[in-house]
Amino acid sequence: MISATRLEAAAAAVTVLSNSTVVTDWSLRYFGPWWNAMSVDAASVCAGAAVLADVNADGYEEITRLVHDGRTTEEVDYAKHPLLVARDGEDIIATSPEEGIAYRSTPSSDRLVLAGTHAQPLALAAARLAREAIRGQLLRDGWAVLHSSAVVRPDGGTLLTFGDKGAGKTTTALLLASNGWQLLANDRVLVRPTGERDVEVVPWPSAAALGLGLLHSLGWDDKAREHLRSGGSFHPTQHDSVTEALLAGDHTPLWENARRERKVQVFPDQFPDVFGVPLATGGRAAGLLFPQIDADAAPDVVDGARTLGEGDFMSGATEDRYPDIFGQAQGVDGGGRESARAEVAARLAGLPHRAARLNHDIQASAAVLTKVADAV
């Protein structure tokens, strides 16, 4: 029995089909709140972009043998796993022995075939590539990708928040989403020029990484603990030590190799369902915010000369976890065409720019952000 989940974002669409409902249910859950995911009749899917992901050990072995059949191969790191990539005519074929997944991509038809030995890793891989299929279509249609969090007010006006790692992009979005705005994205958004002056914004669905300290400061740790104790779980990439800390009521930050913090990994649908944060499915840019966290200073609106830079756009060079090895963007850079990025940058330059200093006093920081946001 084949099941199917269809995803839609702006004018882009892709259907995930599988002989395992684990695969299609995963995409339905992961993208549902933001990309209009819905179950559809598999028999009705006869055209358009598709990711066909079956639990099929024989299919995995067949493609893997082709990859190793004297072809020129390249080993790349994809989603933290080594992937061996080759060509079979116009198709791109690849195998990931660690995951037990093999791939065949036909970029000219927007079709991707995956064969896996186990349902759960196959579900994650199919969702990744369905998301990349949507992005590829949007990039080819004149969209670009910004490294930004985003919140939307009731009239559709969208506040885009920029900054380097640790500047407070996610914190800003979650504080505003807890104070009357809707959460559109926690780390990146898709944008394109529309009309004479507007910039349309749609979300880029992804799990959100929230530090234990931030979760506690937001008052969400009790909700997370209740969710776990009632039999719920968070994203499977969450480290067991984080789950144990949540259950124990310990919000002391956990570190991996003294450099990378282990965080709570939240599914998109858990923002409204577990934490009561409303989600938005689109908006139009209304202003830019540049926060900076300074633990030793009081939160305040500050003067800032920061403007949008090249580093605020994603690109093929910065997309190191999910490079477009399967040709889904068909040659368009991972951050969008240069002309699209330039036009987006020019339009955003004409919108209000604000800067804010935040600290670990969540109530005071939220008050400052609300003041800034309401003025945009």
Side-chain angles (χ1 to χ4, degrees):
M1 182 69 176
I2 302 298
S3 58
T5 294
R6 182 174 175 83
L7 317 175
E8 296 177 351
V14 64
T15 305
V16 179
L17 301 101
S18 180
N19 62 358
S20 169
T21 57
V22 171
V23 174
T24 50
D25 286 350
W26 182 275
S27 289
L28 185 66
R29 178 187 184 186
Y30 200 89
F31 300 109
W34 273 327
W35 275 1
N36 306 301
M38 67 188 80
S39 296
V40 297
D41 181 3
S44 68
V45 180
C46 57
V51 175
L52 298 88
D54 284 347
V55 178
N56 182 350
D58 290 340
Y60 165 73
E61 293 293 343
E62 179 182 349
I63 296 175
T64 298
R65 283 195 297 271
L66 284 175
V67 171
H68 291 284
D69 189 23
R71 290 170 167 78
T72 300
T73 59
E74 177 186 8
E75 183 172 308
V76 299
D77 187 54
Y78 187 77
K80 296 185 177 180
H81 294 284
L83 191 68
L84 197 61
V85 185
R87 304 291 300 221
D88 184 30
E90 71 166 316
D91 290 357
I92 301 164
I93 56 176
T95 184
S96 174
E98 288 186 0
E99 298 173 286
I101 301 172
Y103 305 79
R104 176 180 290 275
S105 172
T106 309
S108 61
S109 65
D110 279 332
R111 291 277 166 140
L112 253 163
V113 174
L114 284 69
T117 56
H118 297 90
Q120 188 59 55
L122 184 65
L124 271 66
R128 281 195 298 266
L129 290 170
R131 187 172 59 186
E132 293 301 319
I134 292 282
R135 175 164 69 165
Q137 292 174 55
L138 292 178
L139 292 177
R140 292 174 349 233
D141 198 30
W143 291 72
V145 186
L146 288 174
H147 191 195
S148 164
S149 68
V151 290
V152 181
R153 63 191 180 210
D155 68 355
T158 302
L159 186 64
L160 300 169
T161 300
F162 299 89
D164 298 331
K165 185 177 177 64
K169 294 190 297 297
T170 297
T171 299
T172 294
L174 295 181
L175 286 177
L176 288 172
S178 299
N179 286 272
W181 292 63
Q182 295 178 314
L183 181 65
L184 183 75
N186 63 283
D187 184 63
R188 69 180 72 180
V189 292
L190 289 145
V191 291
R192 74 163 177 181
T194 184
E196 294 185 2
R197 296 188 302 273
D198 286 343
V199 174
E200 185 179 358
V201 187
V202 297
W204 173 258
S206 67
L210 310 183
L212 288 166
L214 174 59
L215 202 76
H216 175 71
S217 297
L218 289 166
W220 292 0
D221 48 346
D222 288 341
K223 296 177 181 179
R225 185 160 48 255
E226 181 181 345
H227 174 67
L228 291 171
R229 287 177 175 170
S230 65
S233 61
F234 290 102
H235 195 279
T237 56
Q238 179 171 299
H239 197 275
D240 288 344
S241 63
V242 176
T243 303
E244 292 166 3
L246 283 173
L247 289 169
D250 184 358
H251 55 268
T252 306
L254 298 171
W255 297 94
E256 185 174 331
N257 300 325
R259 294 190 306 271
R260 182 181 179 89
E261 186 178 358
R262 290 175 175 167
K263 298 183 178 183
V264 182
Q265 303 291 327
V266 181
F267 279 102
D269 68 346
Q270 289 176 329
F271 282 115
D273 293 349
V274 178
F275 302 117
V277 172
L279 301 183
T281 57
R284 67 180 187 284
L288 283 64
L289 179 61
F290 301 94
Q292 186 61 55
I293 294 178
D294 185 344
D296 299 322
D300 202 357
V301 180
V302 297
D303 293 330
R306 172 84 152 79
T307 59
L308 203 64
E310 185 64 29
D312 295 311
F313 285 87
M314 300 300 295
S315 71
T318 55
E319 195 59 86
D320 53 350
R321 281 191 70 183
Y322 309 121
D324 186 25
I325 57 177
F326 295 110
Q328 290 170 289
Q330 297 184 20
V332 179
D333 182 83
R337 291 189 175 92
E338 185 176 348
S339 58
R341 296 198 299 268
E343 182 62 24
V344 166
R347 295 189 182 198
L348 292 181
L351 297 177
H353 288 46
R354 301 289 185 266
R357 182 176 61 233
L358 312 177
N359 66 13
H360 299 310
D361 183 334
I362 290 298
Q363 289 187 340
S365 294
V368 167
L369 289 173
T370 299
K371 178 181 177 181
V372 172
D374 288 346
V376 171

